[in-house]
Amino acid sequence: MKLSLFIADARVRAGLLCVVCGLAAALLLPTLRRAAAPAAVRDPAAALPLPEGGVQSDGFSLRLLQAELAGASGNVLTAPLATAALLHHLADLAAPGAGKDLALPEHLPNTNPLPKVFCGLFAEASLPFSMPPTQAGIMAVDFSGTASEAMHIMAQSVQESTGISPELSIGPDSVLGASPQLVAFLATAIPGPATAFPVELVKEQPFDNANGLQPKVPTLRGSIPARLAHAEDESWLALALPLLPQEGAEGEPLFFCAILPRTPAREFAQQLTPQQLSDIRAALARTPQALTSISLPAVHTNPSPRAVTPLPPLPGLSALTAPGALRRLSPANIPLSSLLVCNAFSLAAPAPRQATALPPAQDAPAASFSRPFIWFVGDLTSPAPPFLFGIIEEL
């Protein structure tokens, strides 16, 4: 049995997505061209409009986050670049012309370090396939008869490609639902920060949760090289921490970026416009890196998928979700029953070659993130979607 796993190599200047063999085979994914999505749009007028530039703009990533905010409380996490890879894969399996108006970026950012973006498709083995599943870049799995084996295969595929070890289950109450037919699994593995915090600089500090509680959480407190930018009207403060680069590699650095608004973080994120988000990235990009005293919760993401995460409605989805839209894959009507998002990132995990943070410096600019904030992992100069984009409201 073979599976082609889609890994987005952000360093490739030609903008190609590398397709890595999960269990034996290897293919090459073309450059990102157009988008599709799994959920049917009952009311096309309610679809979220794509901004100019399509999904390669900050608008696409912001709309993903805002759609998640509308349907969930507490912490929210999205994987915009992995979602873009999924949209392209689905469009390749759809009827000719489906989703033709949803252009994806033709180039990925040339970044250093090199995150991995996993996009794997798993289909029910009993489907009448129009082509061999491996030729379509998917794995045929018997979801109904061998649930534990199916979950093991999916988890093993993700682990081999990204180093993430997800815990999966199947059944009426599971994240996959009772009888999945086509399952998309997205995962993103991100290197840690360039600066490590010794134990003596990790303190238990109160965090003002959005629910009114003030738990004490591990907080990174020290001085490190960072970028710090402010809005002219003091409506937000933004911090960019460089991530660990690959030794000897070239490319734009990746950053963990945190945005602390003056107003409540959820309210700020819901009202944020693509231009404002681009302005924040641009402000960080033109700010010189300098020693900065920070107080920041030790952010980490859970490597296990938390729930089924349907994509928000976008223009043209009806063409891709109409009966027989994926007929290049199968003549049967195939709904994309689940979208599992699995991410691995830790702001506090130690790694080789990290510099060491210094004690807080009284004369250095200070940034304290002791209440809800927005964050993303990406570069500061490319319009391509960031790897991770979320909000922290409760710790």
Side-chain angles (χ1 to χ4, degrees), residues 111 243 253-257 281 376-381 385-388:
T111 60
L243 299 186
L254 281 182
F255 291 89
F256 169 89
C257 300
R281 284 171 35 129
F376 67 88
V377 172
D379 66 22
L380 300 177
T381 59
F387 298 91
L388 300 176

Side-chain angles (χ1 to χ4, degrees), residues 202-271:
V202 181
K203 308 291 185 180
E204 293 288 329
Q205 298 286 333
F207 185 84
D208 294 328
N209 278 350
N211 58 14
L213 300 179
Q214 289 184 315
K216 288 189 175 181
V217 301
T219 303
L220 311 178
R221 299 186 71 251
S223 297
I224 65 171
R227 301 184 184 207
L228 193 61
H230 302 261
E232 290 185 2
D233 60 0
E234 300 298 326
S235 59
W236 54 262
L237 165 73
L239 175 72
L241 306 182
L243 299 186
L244 193 66
Q246 274 194 315
E247 192 170 3
E250 297 179 355
E252 293 295 323
L254 281 182
F255 291 89
F256 169 89
C257 300
I259 304 169
L260 185 70
R262 182 172 56 195
T263 56
R266 178 174 288 260
E267 176 185 318
F268 182 85
Q270 289 171 331
Q271 298 176 358

Side-chain angles (χ1 to χ4, degrees), residues 321-334:
T321 54
L326 300 181
R327 61 174 178 264
R328 291 187 58 200
L329 176 62
S330 170
N333 297 336
I334 308 176

